[in-house]
């Protein structure tokens, strides 16, 4: 073990990283207890926004602080690294949940006997009947619950709060004392004469001011702690560091940062406050961090108080901080089955400046070096690629991506700007925007863009083929749109499918509107509202339409599966009459067992999305356009409107589990296709064909799409390999593609491909002058490639 | 005469010329190299490829075959009607070789135009031997692509009448020109033909201003030796041929699995790749002799 590779630029970072990755995640009850105390003190005596702000203040006044040995950036959400607080106001864990999170095989959270006792005696008694989850599920209709249970859509906000948002340059231009001045001005401007909402605005603004106090208390406590530790520290070097930490915390977060180091520290305090106030989806993100830090870096280097190595070290310290915070565990079935560790904090490096110029600077490369060195899945580190960015930057990002651990992903700056402007943002706000979470486009610092849930497009088709009945349960979930065998044309089938989509979208949107209203009423976020323009000016909360832009997003899932399923039916049943609808339904019912001919026809002899074939790609466009046009027109409850993203996270697995076999040959319970990527094994013409097919979707109508491209290491090897990757990215982005990420496959994938060649037909082999696919090679040759793959991963 | 048959249109070809390319493999070649990794490209007529590993033994092909030649595949008795290919529900049978109209092929090849333009890539016409095909067809194809602004590379073994080079020369970007062996006897032994025409064509092509990438497939015990490298260098210097690039291609036997699919036996089973160290040495020899643009790999 002595030779084990340690990641990190120096001993300090290696130690901090090791500590972070080797510490067992565990539950931290302190937040829940402090929150319960605060509610017991204040509930009913103050307005709801003030109650929320006082709760944050109570937590930050009393929570356990932590400064780890060697740390340069300070602050933890829990009492120490890998401690996960709980949020009973959102969803209150049962004792069974607590056992599940302790025992589950995927990322587990240790729960002690004392934690169980606290949960049982303090938390559960107070929060039962008060949690958002209970309020939400109690407000949903029977049809919503049935569709939800059938896996037609999911709901984001039954376990975590709205959020999905990103910090802007504002964080570095002002301190929280300055925000309090802004709040004071807004309070003074309230119009009690004609504005019926004036009193609510007052409560909201008061709450924001209290939230400012909360974070400043945290900063002061850290300054005091660092000073105390310095007094007792015998190591002169560490003592100086602790004193510098104290000096930093004297400045931030109360005042605007003066140095690069303070700028990172102020971001981190803000991050902790947003994610302690509530448990918002996708945590919080620094957004255009390189552009925000660039001026500090230049100034400090010029002044001789910072070197590039020191700047990198501070960045690596922050990276470990992100990794110290696992995504808080959920409840119920979701808790049992979803082992997501990452909290989806997302950094956009590169892109353009608000004036539209090349946004890459020295800090951009520091961030790339940091992600390359540390290889941590959290934060989610990505690059925005503008046509104005230097090729050196793009190639450096490709160089990291081809190492095969999934980062960075590539976003298209020009597409993001057009998507945002299409959705009504100003040019400057659009340029300041980017992506958070997985691929979701937002106007950083100006927009509340809230994800509402995934929508299972192939499942709705399954229900259509069964006249509104879900074959999994026999329940009539949708309207009776006709027996499939009676449709004489594809158009009749299509009309039935769109009726079913409308029906379930209506249910989904009605539910989401109620849920948004519940959050506005019971769960305002005064702290996040400080950071988001124009909540202060309007005296309104982030969760209640206070942001400049308010968007609700529904995510379409199963693009490849639905496109290929439509193609399979249209091509074989209607165009070529290879088999009848009855025969197909029979085959689906039997999961294609004993229907080899039909399976072969739909799998091998039917046009498929992902091959630059207009037949199948045209059907993808048809279903995408219908979906996007019918979602995007709808208003939400916060003065904004609904939009569409095409991304699945890991939901395509769950959506597949609730489904029988699909007409395209996808077997029952198997995952549906992910993102806008083709169905597994459907694309057999390499990455350019995949990209062409995907680009036929009008990405600019969406708020983000996700494309995964798989490579074997040999295909992207060498300087040429980097150039080819860079060219693929640039070309896809010239076609308005939104996002692409590269999955350079390892040995396990290739072994799986040997076993199930049908699922891995997309694996390509490229040798000079040679023509073939991985699946066509004999076993011994496949073995050789697998062996080579392993070697290239070892270095 | 029917037009040429296309075996495969391979997109994202990244080792057959500059940038991201699409390679068209035509069927039929005047050579029959012992080590050929695309054996389905050697003969001109279409052939049945049978994937034993996918055969479920269901017997549908035998039912469908009018000649009783389907199972086991009897290539003598087969009348090439294709009934067995259509009948197979397991993808165990496929045709190698498909006719394409020039117009359709151009359209298919231009699908990746944006990738070519971004990467400095284009289309590579390969095979088999593209210059051994119907030259009216090949010339029309190359001209159409050229006129549409698509770079066309010609991947050739060189063993065709020079006139055929002339016909594509105005439209070709780079010729990827294989040199297999310098000794005529050895050349005949391993490829079935003498190399005089190949060397002569190379001289003439160079004299006519063709942009040439010399490609050397290198096989241990056949031509991966200093003698061969020296002979190539001597020839290029003597004839004052200045290739744009020299590619040293390490032997691989990735194609051996295709022989049984064609009902044939791979005769090159004993062949081996030269070591990486030797390849590096060979590269340095080229560099030392002034061929500064020499790379290992395509």
């Amino acid at each position: 073990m002595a030779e084990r590779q340690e990641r990190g630029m120096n001993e300090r970072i290696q130690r901090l990283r090791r500590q972070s990755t080797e510490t067992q995640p565990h539950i931290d009850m302190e937040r829940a207890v402090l929150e319960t105390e605060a509610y017991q003190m204040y509930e009913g005596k103050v307005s709801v926004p003030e109650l929320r702000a006082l709760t944050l203040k109570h937590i930050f006044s009393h929570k356990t602080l932590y400064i780890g040995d060697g740390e340069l950036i300070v602050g933890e959400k829990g009492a120490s690294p890998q401690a996960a607080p709980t949020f009973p106001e959102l969803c209150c864990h049962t004792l069974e949940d607590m056992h599940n999170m302790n025992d589950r095989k995927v990322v587990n959270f240790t729960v002690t006997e004392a934690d169980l006792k606290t949960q049982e005696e303090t938390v559960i008694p107070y929060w039962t009947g008060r949690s958002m989850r209970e309020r939400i599920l109690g407000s949903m209709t029977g049809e919503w619950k049935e569709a939800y249970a059938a896996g037609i859509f999911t709901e984001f906000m039954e376990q975590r709060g709205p959020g999905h948002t990103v910090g802007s340059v504002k964080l570095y231009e002002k301190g929280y004392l300055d925000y309090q001045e802004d709040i004071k001005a807004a309070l003074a401007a309230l119009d009690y004469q004609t504005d019926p909402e004036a009193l609510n605005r007052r409560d909201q603004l008061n709450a924001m001011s209290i939230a400012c106090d909360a974070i400043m208390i945290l900063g002061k406590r850290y300054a005091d702690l660092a000073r105390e530790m310095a007094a007792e520290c015998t190591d002169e070097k560490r003592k100086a560091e602790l004193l510098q930490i104290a000096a930093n915390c004297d400045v931030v977060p109360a005042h605007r940062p003066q140095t690069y180091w303070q700028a990172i520290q102020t971001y981190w305090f803000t991050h902790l406050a947003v994610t302690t106030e509530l448990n918002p989806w996708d945590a919080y993100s620094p957004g255009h961090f390189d552009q925000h830090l660039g001026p500090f870096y230049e100034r400090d280097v010029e002044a001789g108080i910072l070197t590039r190595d020191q700047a990198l070290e501070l960045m690596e310290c922050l990276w470990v901080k992100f990794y110290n915070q696992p995504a808080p565990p959920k409840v119920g079935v979701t808790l049992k089955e979803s082992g997501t560790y990452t909290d989806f904090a997302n950094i956009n490096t590169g892109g353009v400046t608000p004036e539209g110029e090349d946004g890459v600077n020295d800090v951009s490369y520091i961030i790339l070096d940091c992600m390359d060195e540390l290889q941590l899945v959290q934060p989610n580190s990505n690059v925005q690629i503008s046509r104005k960015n230097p090729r050196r930057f793009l190639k450096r990002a490709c160089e990291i991506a081809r190492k095969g651990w999934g980062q960075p992903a590539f976003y298209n700056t020009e597409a993001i700007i057009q998507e945002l402007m299409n959705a009504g943002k100003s040019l400057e706000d659009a340029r300041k925007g980017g992506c958070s979470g997985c691929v979701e486009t937002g106007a950083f610092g100006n927009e509340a863009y809230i994800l509402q849930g995934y929508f299972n497009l192939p499942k709705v088709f399954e229900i259509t083929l069964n006249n509104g009945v879900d074959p999994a349960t026999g329940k009539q979930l949708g309207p009776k749109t006709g027996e499939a065998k009676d449709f004489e044309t594809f158009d009749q089938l299509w009309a039935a499918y769109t009726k079913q989509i409308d029906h379930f979208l209506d249910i989904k949107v009605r539910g989401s509107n109620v849920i948004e209203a519940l959050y506005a009423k019971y769960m305002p976020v005064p702290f996040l509202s400080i950071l988001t323009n124009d909540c202060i000016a309007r005296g309104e909360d982030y969760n209640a339409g206070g942001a400049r832009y308010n968007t609700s997003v529904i995510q379409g899932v199963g693009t490849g599966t639905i496109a290929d399923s439509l193609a399979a039916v249209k091509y074989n049943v209607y165009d070529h009459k290879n088999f009848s609808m009855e025969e197909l339904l029979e085959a689906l019912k039997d999961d294609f067992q004993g229907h080899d001919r039909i399976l072969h026809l739909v799998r091998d002899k039917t046009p498929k999305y992902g091959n630059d074939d207009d037949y199948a790609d045209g059907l993808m466009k048809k279903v995408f356009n219908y979906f996007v046009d019918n979602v995007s027109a709808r208003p939400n409850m916060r003065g904004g409107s609904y939009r569409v993203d095409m991304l699945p996270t890991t939901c395509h697995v769950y959506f597949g589990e609730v489904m029988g076999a699909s007409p395209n040959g996808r077997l029952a319970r198997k995952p549906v296709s992910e993102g806008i990527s083709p169905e597994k094994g459907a694309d057999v013409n390499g990455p350019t064909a995949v990209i062409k097919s995907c680009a036929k979707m009008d990405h600019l109508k969406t708020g983000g799409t996700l494309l995964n491209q798989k490579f074997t290491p040999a295909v992207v090897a060498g300087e040429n390999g980097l150039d080819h990757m860079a060219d693929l990215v640039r070309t896809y982005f010239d076609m308005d593609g939104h996002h692409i990420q590269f999955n350079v496959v390892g040995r396990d994938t290739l072994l799986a491909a040997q076993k199930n060649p049908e699922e891995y037909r997309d694996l390509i082999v490229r040798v000079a002058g040679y023509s073939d696919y991985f699946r066509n090679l004999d076993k011994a040759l496949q073995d050789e490639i697998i062996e080579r793959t392993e070697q290239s991963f070892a270095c | 005469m029917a037009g040429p048959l296309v075996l495969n249109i391979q997109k994202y070809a990244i080792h057959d010329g500059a940038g991201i390319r699409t390679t068209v493999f035509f069927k039929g070649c005047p050579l029959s190299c012992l080590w050929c990794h695309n054996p389905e490209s050697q003969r001109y007529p279409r052939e049945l490829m049978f994937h034993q590993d996918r055969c479920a033994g269901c017997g549908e092909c035998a039912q469908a075959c009018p000649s009783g030649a389907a199972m086991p595949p009897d290539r003598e008795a087969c009348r090439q009607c294709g009934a067995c290919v259509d009948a197979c529900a397991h993808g165990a049978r496929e045709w190698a070789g498909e006719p394409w109209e020039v117009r359709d092929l151009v359209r298919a090849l231009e699908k990746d135009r944006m990738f070519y333009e971004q990467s400095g890539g284009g289309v590579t016409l390969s095979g088999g031997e593209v210059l051994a095909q119907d030259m009216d067809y090949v010339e029309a194809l190359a001209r159409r692509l050229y006129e549409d602004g698509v770079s066309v590379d010609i991947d050739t073994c060189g063993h065709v009448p020079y006139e055929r080079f002339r016909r594509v020369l105005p439209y070709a970007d780079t010729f990827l020109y294989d040199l297999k062996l310098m000794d005529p006897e050895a050349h005949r032994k391993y490829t079935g033909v003498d190399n005089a025409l190949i060397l002569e064509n190379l001289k003439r092509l160079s004299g006519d201003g063709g942009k040439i990438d010399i490609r050397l497939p290198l096989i241990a015990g056949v031509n991966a030796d200093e003698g061969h490298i020296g002979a190539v260098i001597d020839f290029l210097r003597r004839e004052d041929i200045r290739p744009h690039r020299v590619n040293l291609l390490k032997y691989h036997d990735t194609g051996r699995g295709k022989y049984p699919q064609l009902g044939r036996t791979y005769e090159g089973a004993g062949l081996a790749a030269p070591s990486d160290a030797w390849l590096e040495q060979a590269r340095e020899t080229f560099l030392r002799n002034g061929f500064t643009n020499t790379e290992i790999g395509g």
Side-chain angles (χ1 to χ4, degrees), chain B residues 34-35 190 219-222 251 253 256 265-273:
Chain B
L34 182 67
W35 52 81
Y190 285 109
I219 305 145
V222 177
Y251 167 75
D253 63 355
R256 73 179 181 217
T265 309
Y266 183 44
E267 305 288 348
L271 300 176

Side-chain angles (χ1 to χ4, degrees), chain B residues 12-283:
Chain B
Y12 198 61
I14 50 177
H15 302 293
D16 301 326
I20 294 172
R21 311 190 75 83
T22 300
T23 302
V24 192
F25 294 90
F26 288 100
K27 190 157 166 41
C29 182
L31 270 57
S32 47
C33 303
L34 182 67
W35 52 81
C36 181
H37 58 204
N38 292 327
E40 75 280 24
S41 75
Q42 291 182 337
R43 297 170 189 173
Y44 292 84
R46 88 176 170 169
E47 286 174 272
L48 177 74
M49 293 188 91
F50 174 61
H51 301 269
Q52 180 73 55
D53 54 323
R54 291 183 205 158
C55 177
C58 68
E60 292 288 334
C61 53
Q63 291 271 324
C65 178
S67 325
M71 209 59 210
D74 179 347
R75 287 171 192 274
E76 297 294 306
C78 172
R79 281 190 266 153
Q80 303 250 328
C81 69
C84 62
V85 176
D86 295 337
C88 179
H90 301 92
R93 288 161 184 271
E94 56 185 353
W95 284 118
E98 201 185 338
W100 278 76
E101 296 284 343
V102 171
R103 188 193 51 191
D104 297 337
L105 190 53
V106 167
R107 193 174 299 148
L109 295 173
E110 290 188 359
K111 282 187 164 190
D112 279 1
R113 179 184 53 80
M114 285 180 72
F115 296 96
Y116 309 153
E117 290 176 4
Q118 171 65 41
S119 67
V123 167
T124 298
L125 306 181
S126 179
E129 174 53 56
V130 58
L131 298 182
Q133 311 295 329
D134 171 0
M135 279 312 288
D136 289 340
Y137 180 101
V138 174
E139 184 186 340
L141 175 63
R143 190 184 63 237
R144 291 278 291 273
L145 290 167
Y146 172 82
E147 285 170 355
D148 287 348
V150 176
S151 149
V152 180
D153 285 1
I154 305 285
D155 186 1
T156 181
C157 70
H159 190 76
V160 294
Y162 187 70
E163 177 54 25
R164 290 174 169 249
F165 280 94
R166 278 240 167 88
R167 291 187 63 178
V168 292
L169 193 53
Y171 316 115
D173 184 335
T174 306
F175 289 86
L176 312 179
Y177 205 112
D178 281 11
L179 283 185
K180 280 145 182 147
L181 289 141
M182 298 308 284
D183 174 62
E185 267 318 300
H187 200 278
R188 191 173 296 119
K189 175 177 162 197
Y190 285 109
T191 73
V193 302
D194 183 273
N195 64 1
L197 180 60
I198 295 171
L199 297 178
E200 179 60 23
N201 283 342
L202 179 57
K203 281 193 276 187
R204 293 180 68 179
L205 183 62
S206 175
D208 283 346
K211 181 176 163 196
I212 299 166
D213 285 2
I214 297 287
R215 288 159 79 89
L216 307 179
L218 294 167
I219 305 145
V222 177
N223 61 4
D225 52 65
E226 278 163 41
H228 177 58
I229 299 298
V232 170
I233 290 173
D234 285 349
F235 176 78
L236 294 177
R237 292 178 71 154
R238 188 171 65 239
E239 304 299 339
D240 195 24
I241 294 167
R242 296 174 195 187
H244 167 248
R245 194 187 305 271
V246 177
N247 293 96
L248 309 181
L249 306 177
K250 182 177 172 178
Y251 167 75
H252 62 85
D253 63 355
T254 318
R256 73 179 181 217
K258 294 198 247 180
Y259 284 82
Q261 290 164 11
L262 293 159
R264 293 169 55 184
T265 309
Y266 183 44
E267 305 288 348
L271 300 176
S275 70
D276 290 340
W278 183 86
L279 280 166
E280 193 46 52
Q281 259 182 8
R283 179 168 167 269

Side-chain angles (χ1 to χ4, degrees), chain A residues 670-690:
Chain A
K670 292 274 183 189
V672 299
S673 62
E674 54 87 29
I676 59 165
S677 311
E679 179 77 276
K680 244 184 171 183
D683 54 311
V684 295
N685 286 311
T688 59
V690 171

Side-chain angles (χ1 to χ4, degrees), chain A residues 51-213:
Chain A
L51 172 65
R52 294 301 304 162
L54 288 165
T55 300
L56 183 67
K57 187 174 168 185
H58 187 68
I59 294 169
F60 279 172
S61 301
H62 300 284
K63 83 178 288 297
T64 307
L65 302 187
Y66 174 87
I67 298 180
D69 190 22
E71 282 194 331
L72 299 176
I73 303 297
V74 298
E76 283 292 324
K77 214 154 68 167
S80 61
Q82 301 296 345
T86 61
F87 296 79
E89 76 273 41
L90 290 176
C91 57
C92 185
H93 294 108
T94 62
L95 293 181
E96 191 192 345
D97 287 334
M98 305 282 275
H99 283 291
N100 279 336
M101 69 178 83
N102 187 68
D103 301 342
R104 68 179 187 178
K105 289 204 175 66
V106 287
V107 180
N108 73 318
F109 291 83
T110 315
V111 180
T112 65
E113 285 301 319
D115 295 337
L116 283 170
K117 190 159 177 282
T118 306
Q119 186 74 7
E120 186 173 15
E121 293 175 2
T122 308
V123 180
I124 293 177
Y126 185 81
W127 291 100
T128 301
R130 293 167 182 264
S131 75
M132 286 306 290
R133 185 159 198 264
E134 288 164 288
R135 290 189 208 276
I136 288 168
L137 297 180
S139 303
M140 293 299 103
T141 59
E143 58 179 6
W144 187 96
K145 284 180 185 163
E146 282 193 333
Y148 174 76
I152 293 168
F153 51 71
T154 66
E155 174 50 54
F156 262 63
M157 286 185 287
E158 44 103 13
Q159 308 216 356
R160 296 187 73 168
H164 309 277
T165 199
V166 179
S168 67
V169 70
K170 178 168 153 170
L171 270 63
Y172 314 92
E173 292 174 342
K174 285 186 178 180
Y176 286 82
L177 283 172
D178 304 315
Y179 293 132
Q180 278 185 326
E181 289 304 311
D182 296 345
I183 293 164
K184 218 180 272 174
L187 276 166
L190 285 178
D191 170 13
Y192 291 98
Q193 195 149 306
T194 61
D195 178 7
E197 291 295 317
L199 193 65
N200 290 336
R201 295 187 212 281
R202 183 201 67 185
D203 292 345
Q204 180 66 38
L205 288 165
N206 280 340
M208 291 188 211
S209 187
I210 296 167
C212 290
D213 288 337

Side-chain angles (χ1 to χ4, degrees), chain A residues 449-453 551-555 641-645 703:
Chain A
Y449 47 113
I450 296 173
L451 272 61
Q452 307 289 350
T551 311
S552 305
V553 188
I554 294 177
Q555 299 90 247
S641 65
Y642 280 82
R643 303 283 295 172
V644 159
D645 282 337

